[in-house]
Amino acid sequence: MKKEIVISIVIIIFIVIGDILLEKYTEKSFDLIGNKLSTIKDNLEDKEKSLLQIDEVNEEWNKRFNILTCFLEHDELEKIKTQLVVIKSGVQVNDTEYAYEEIDKAIYILDHLKDKQSLKWDNLF
């Protein structure tokens, strides 16, 4: 009987530790992308610089995307990827208002996903 209890406790501890580590990775990834998007939003007047920054964000997102797909919903991650394409298109046609709105949408989606994946009582029930 003691053996089963010890094994169960060890499994629960591994699950909780794994969830904490995945949450921290998710938060770090989304904060990084969100900060880069905010920087792009501040520099929308300079088209060339914005396009270079968007390419950097896309590269960073592609690196993290493969890991994030292992434990997050693909639909939600695809929304962010779609927003990045829309932002790049807005910058390419010099529509700064549109690009500004789309950057805000992308940041909102990132924040929403971060909150959705966090370990809170609201998310458990």
Side-chain angles (χ1 to χ4, degrees), residues 51 54-55 58 83-93 99:
L51 287 173
I54 291 170
D55 288 337
N58 279 323
Q83 284 301 119
L84 293 176
V85 171
V86 169
I87 292 166
K88 186 172 184 173
S89 299
V91 171
Q92 285 175 335
V93 296

Side-chain angles (χ1 to χ4, degrees), residues 104-117:
D104 283 340
K105 284 182 191 176
I107 292 172
Y108 173 77
I109 293 170
L110 287 168
D111 289 340
H112 173 70
L113 272 176
K114 188 170 37 171
D115 288 341
K116 188 176 176 182
Q117 296 303 319

Side-chain angles (χ1 to χ4, degrees), residues 71-85:
F71 56 92
L72 294 178
E73 294 178 35
H74 294 260
D75 294 342
E76 301 290 341
L77 297 175
E78 288 297 328
K79 287 179 187 177
I80 297 170
K81 205 170 198 178
T82 302
Q83 284 301 119
L84 293 176
V85 171

Side-chain angles (χ1 to χ4, degrees), residues 46 64 80 94 124:
D46 186 3
R64 296 180 181 267
I80 297 170
N94 287 331
L124 293 177

Side-chain angles (χ1 to χ4, degrees), residues 20-84:
I20 290 169
L21 292 175
L22 292 176
E23 183 179 338
K24 287 191 182 292
Y25 180 79
T26 303
E27 187 175 323
K28 179 183 165 190
S29 298
F30 289 169
D31 284 343
L32 178 69
I33 299 298
N35 290 338
K36 288 186 178 198
L37 288 174
S38 295
T39 304
I40 293 170
K41 188 167 65 169
D42 294 338
N43 299 323
L44 275 178
E45 299 303 322
D46 186 3
K47 180 180 175 180
E48 297 302 320
K49 186 175 182 181
S50 295
L51 287 173
L52 288 174
Q53 289 175 333
I54 291 170
D55 288 337
E56 289 176 14
V57 170
N58 279 323
E59 286 177 29
E60 187 67 37
W61 180 252
N62 289 334
K63 286 180 195 173
R64 296 180 181 267
F65 181 80
N66 293 330
I67 296 171
L68 291 170
T69 55
C70 295
F71 56 92
L72 294 178
E73 294 178 35
H74 294 260
D75 294 342
E76 301 290 341
L77 297 175
E78 288 297 328
K79 287 179 187 177
I80 297 170
K81 205 170 198 178
T82 302
Q83 284 301 119
L84 293 176

